[in-house]
Amino acid sequence: MSQQQISPLTEPEQQWVDVRRAYAAQEGVDHLDLDQVDGWHGRLIARSRSEDVDPDELGVLLEVAAVLLGEHLGARHGLAWVSVTDDDGTDLGLRDPLSDAVVFPLSEVGARWNADEAGWMPGYVDALGDQLQEVRAQRAADGFGTGSAEG
């Protein structure tokens, strides 16, 4: 079993994020407004319950929701998009430069979608912030980042 490799996004991966964020902006959803993001996700769930939604369209819309969540996490908690590769393939995540913690908004949105759960984003973002504070404090106590120029 190989270890995870974390690297900056490639140009195509960054374009993938940018296109989804641009789509959301076109729809009037600002990633900085978590209530808008959460509401948009909730409307997507409601729409999928009330009408047949093309599975391909639905997949892209869920990706948009995940990108919005990721962009919000980046802005609020200082996380940055990264590409994470392991034996199972490559996924996009967000890395905390202060602790090396990585979160995966695509997986989170997918899990919540499968649970048919709306209205979860504000609690998730707050809980993640609390967890990051704890991890950052522990990493700082362990000397993480000392002696290197990170930033």
Side-chain angles (χ1 to χ4, degrees):
M1 183 184 319
S2 69
Q3 186 175 347
Q4 284 185 340
Q5 291 184 285
I6 299 175
S7 56
L9 296 186
T10 63
E11 185 63 31
E13 289 167 337
Q14 185 62 57
Q15 288 175 352
W16 184 92
V17 170
D18 293 345
V19 164
R20 280 146 186 82
R21 189 168 91 186
Y23 176 85
Q26 180 182 332
E27 294 290 306
V29 183
D30 180 358
H31 69 277
L32 296 175
D33 186 334
L34 188 57
D35 290 336
Q36 280 186 12
V37 175
D38 193 50
W40 191 81
H41 179 262
R43 289 188 299 279
L44 181 58
I45 288 176
R47 179 178 163 212
S48 72
R49 290 179 189 150
S50 66
E51 64 182 85
D52 286 335
V53 181
D54 178 275
D56 292 334
E57 179 188 2
L58 182 59
V60 171
L61 293 175
L62 288 172
E63 291 171 355
V64 170
V67 166
L68 287 169
L69 176 61
E71 291 288 299
H72 185 83
L73 292 171
R76 183 156 170 194
H77 296 307
L79 307 181
W81 285 102
V82 293
S83 180
V84 181
T85 303
D86 63 16
D87 289 341
D88 295 325
T90 300
D91 287 313
L92 299 188
L94 288 117
R95 179 181 165 268
D96 177 23
L98 301 176
S99 70
D100 268 351
V102 178
V103 295
F104 297 92
L106 287 159
S107 296
E108 192 66 35
V109 167
R112 302 298 180 119
W113 177 266
N114 289 336
D116 202 29
E117 187 176 349
W120 58 271
M121 285 187 188
Y124 171 78
V125 170
D126 288 344
L128 181 64
D130 292 343
Q131 290 174 335
L132 283 172
Q133 292 296 347
E134 291 175 21
V135 170
R136 288 170 176 172
Q138 184 59 53
R139 295 290 294 207
D142 293 343
F144 177 79
T146 57
S148 67
E150 298 208 21

